[in-house]
C-alpha cells in the first residue's frame, strides 16, 4: 500500500499543502504566499494573516491533491503544523487537518514547525545522526544537537531578534521593503561587505546563544550618522544602501557560521544541517560550505525552495512520527510558543 501523507502548514504568512510519498518523495507542494497582503505594513499583520489563511486553505489543499493525482481516500495520514507560530494562523491549518482526518478516519499527526524545517533535508537525502542543526528563519534562530531521530537538545538560541527578523528590520530601515532577506542579499551583492565594521556579538557567558539586536542597532546608528531617518525622501545614497546591506549581511553570516562551527567542534560532531528561510541566503551557504570543507565536516542545506516555509517539510516530519506510531487526538490544539527541546 502507498504511504501518502498530506502536509498542511499555516504557521506564519504562507498557506501551504503538500503530498509526500514514503516520507521523502514530493508528489506536490503548493505554497500560497501572503507577501502582497503584508508588504504595505512592512511586516506581518497577524489578523490579516489568519483571514487570508481561511480563504486560501481549502483551494490550496485541493490543488495539492490534484497535482499529486490522489484523492483523500488514498491518504494514510494528515500532518499539520501545531506550533510555534501565530496562533490565529496555526488554528486554520489545525482545524482543516482535523476536519479532513476526522471525516476520512485518517491518522492525525502533530508537527512542530522547527522539526519540519529540519525534516526538509530528508526530502533530498536521508538524515544521518548525530548532527548539529541550525534553524534560522524569520521567527527562530535555534541550534540543536540531534543525537538520533526525533531527539533534540537545545544548544543555543537567540536572546533577542531572530536572524531573519534582523534582515527584515534592516531592509525596512534601508527602505528596501518586505520581506527583507532576499532584497538585502540582492543589494549586498552590489556592495562592499568590508565597508563598515559592524559588530559580531558574543554572549558574555561564552555560551552558544545568539544576539542580533546589537547589530541592528549599529545599523540604525550608522544611518543616523548620515542624517538619514528611515523616510523615503531622506534615504541614504544607493551606494550607502548597498554597502550597509553587504556589511550587515557579512556580520550576520559571520555570527551564524562561527556559532554552528563552534557547536559542532565542542560536541565532537562532524555533520551539520542548516535550515529555515535565512538558509536561502547565498552568502551564508557559501561561507558554511567553505568552513565545513576546511574542517572536514559534512554539511547539508536543503534547496532554497525547501528552506522557506512549505508543507512538504511538514509531511516529511509527519511521516517519521506516523511510522513511529504517534497519533494526535481530536482535541489537538495550536500552541503559539511550542518548544522543540
Ligand atoms: O522559514 P521562513 O520562510 O519563515 C519562518 O519560519 O519564519 O523564513 C522567513 C525568513 C524571513 O525573515 C526572510 O527575510 C528570510 O527568511 N529570508 C532570507 C532570505 N530569504 C528569506 N534571509 C536572508 N537571505 C535570503 N535570501
Ligand atoms: Zn519557518
Amino acid at each position: 500500500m502507498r504511504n501518502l501523507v498530506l502536509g498542511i502548514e499555516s504557521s506564519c504568512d504562507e498557506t501551504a499543502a503538500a503530498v509526500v510519498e514514503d516520507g521523502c518523495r514530493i508528489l506536490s507542494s503548493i505554497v500560497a504566499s501572503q507577501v502582497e497582503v503584508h508588504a504595505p505594513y512592512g511586516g506581518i499583520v497577524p489578523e490579516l494573516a489568519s483571514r487570508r489563511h481561511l480563504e486560501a486553505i481549502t483551494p490550496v489543499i485541493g490543488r495539492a491533491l490534484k497535482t499529486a493525482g490522489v484523492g483523500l481516500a488514498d491518504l494514510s495520514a494528515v500532518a499539520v503544523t501545531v506550533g510555534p507560530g501565530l496562533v490565529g494562523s496555526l488554528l486554520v491549518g489545525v482545524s482543516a487537518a482535523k476536519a479532513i482526518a476526522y471525516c476520512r478516519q485518517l491518522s492525525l499527526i502533530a508537527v512542530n514547525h522547527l522539526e519540519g524545517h529540519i525534516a526538509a533535508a530528508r526530502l533530498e537525502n536521508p538524515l544521518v545522526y548525530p548532527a548539529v542543526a541550525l534553524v534560522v528563519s524569520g521567527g527562530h534562530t535555534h541550534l540543536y544537537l540531534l543525537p538520533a531521530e526525533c531527539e533534540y537538545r537545545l544548544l543555543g538560541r537567540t536572546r533577542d531578534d531572530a536572524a531573519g527578523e534582523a534582515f527584515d528590520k534592516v531592509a525596512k530601515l534601508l527602505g528596501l521593503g518586505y520581506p527583507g532577506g532576499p532584497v538585502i542579499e540582492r543589494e549586498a551583492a552590489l556592495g562592499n561587505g568590508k565597508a563598515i565594521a559592524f559588530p559580531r556579538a558574543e554572549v558574555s557567558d561564552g555560551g552558544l546563544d545568539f544576539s542580533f539586536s546589537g547589530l541592528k542597532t549599529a545599523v540604525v546608528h550608522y544611518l543616523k550618522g548620515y542624517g538619514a531617518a528611515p523616510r523615503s525622501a531622506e534615504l541614504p545614497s544607493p551606494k550607502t544602501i548597498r554597502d550597509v546591506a553587504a556589511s550587515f549581511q557579512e556580520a550576520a553570516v559571520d555570527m551564524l557560521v562561527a556559532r554552528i562551527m563552534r557547536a559542532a567542534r565542542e560536541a565532537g560532531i562532524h555533520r551539520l544541517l542548516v535550515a529555515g528561510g535565512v538558509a536561502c541566503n547565498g552568502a551564508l551557504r557559501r561561507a558554511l560550505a567553505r568552513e565545513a570543507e576546511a574542517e572536514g565536516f559534512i554539511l547539508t542545506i536543503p534547496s532554497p525552495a525547501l528552506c522557506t516555509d512549505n508543507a512538504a517539510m511538514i509531511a516529511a516530519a509527519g511521516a517519521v512520527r506516523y511510522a513511529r506510531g504517534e497519533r494526535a487526538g481530536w482535541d489537538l490544539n495550536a500552541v503559539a510558543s511550542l518548544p522543540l527541546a
Side-chain angles (χ1 to χ4, degrees):
M1 197 185 127
R2 294 172 90 190
N3 175 5
L4 297 177
V5 175
L6 170 68
I8 298 177
E9 155 64 37
S10 67
S11 65
C12 193
D13 62 342
E14 255 102 28
T15 320
V19 178
V20 169
E21 185 169 22
D22 296 334
C24 60
R25 270 189 306 285
I26 303 175
L27 301 190
S28 64
S29 179
I30 308 295
V31 181
S33 167
Q34 302 183 355
V35 163
E36 84 287 357
V37 174
H38 305 289
Y41 306 96
I44 296 165
V45 184
E47 181 61 23
L48 295 180
S50 33
R51 281 166 193 244
R52 181 50 75 95
H53 282 305
L54 263 181
E55 291 163 2
I57 193 89
T58 307
V60 163
I61 292 171
R63 274 174 61 206
L65 293 169
K66 192 163 178 228
T67 308
V70 303
L72 291 174
D74 301 315
L75 299 174
S76 312
V78 183
V80 64
T81 305
V82 287
L86 302 169
V87 78
S89 293
L90 288 163
L91 273 172
V92 176
V94 170
S95 306
K98 280 163 81 169
I100 293 171
Y102 186 75
C103 289
R104 296 290 171 150
Q105 287 304 297
L106 300 169
S107 299
L108 178 66
I109 316 291
V111 174
N112 182 302
H113 183 77
L114 302 180
E115 181 171 71
H117 273 302
I118 291 169
R122 294 183 169 281
L123 295 162
E124 295 176 324
N125 289 296
L127 280 187
V128 183
Y129 302 95
V132 169
L134 172 65
V135 182
V136 67
S137 71
H140 314 279
T141 304
H142 286 62
L143 253 179
Y144 296 102
L145 171 65
L146 277 45
E149 191 176 82
C150 295
E151 286 181 28
Y152 303 92
R153 274 183 225 146
L154 185 65
L155 298 175
R157 56 173 298 170
T158 182
R159 293 196 180 172
D160 38 60
D161 294 350
E165 197 179 347
F167 272 86
D168 294 335
K169 286 179 176 169
V170 168
K172 198 168 176 181
L173 285 169
L174 293 173
L176 295 174
Y178 170 86
V183 259
I184 291 274
E185 182 173 5
R186 221 165 36 235
E187 292 296 317
L190 306 167
N192 174 8
K194 311 273 180 248
I196 308 143
F198 287 133
R200 275 77 167 150
E202 286 278 344
V203 289
S204 53
D205 58 12
L208 288 163
D209 280 354
F210 302 84
S211 168
F212 286 96
S213 69
L215 173 57
K216 180 191 64 191
T217 307
V219 173
V220 172
H221 288 164
Y222 183 82
L223 292 173
K224 276 194 179 147
Y226 272 73
R231 276 180 283 142
S232 55
E234 294 174 39
L235 281 176
S237 70
K239 180 179 180 317
T240 303
I241 290 177
R242 290 169 186 159
D243 285 348
V244 169
S247 302
F248 159 78
Q249 179 177 272
E250 197 165 300
V253 165
D254 276 359
M255 284 196 272
L256 292 169
V257 174
R259 210 67 91 251
I260 188 173
M261 296 303 291
R262 182 150 71 80
R265 266 184 239 118
E266 286 178 6
I269 286 170
H270 66 282
R271 282 181 194 281
L272 311 180
L273 197 161
V274 181
V278 181
C280 290
N281 187 276
L284 176 61
R285 297 172 85 93
R286 286 189 294 277
L288 284 165
R290 206 170 46 236
E291 293 291 317
E293 197 193 341
E295 299 228 16
F297 291 169
I298 300 165
L299 171 70
T300 302
I301 314 179
S303 303
L306 291 174
C307 284
T308 47
D309 287 351
N310 65 86
M313 69 187 198
I314 303 304
V320 174
R321 300 249 169 214
Y322 175 68
R324 294 163 68 96
E326 292 185 23
R327 305 291 184 265
W330 301 126
D331 58 350
L332 182 67
N333 208 350
V335 184
S337 55
L338 184 70
L340 183 57

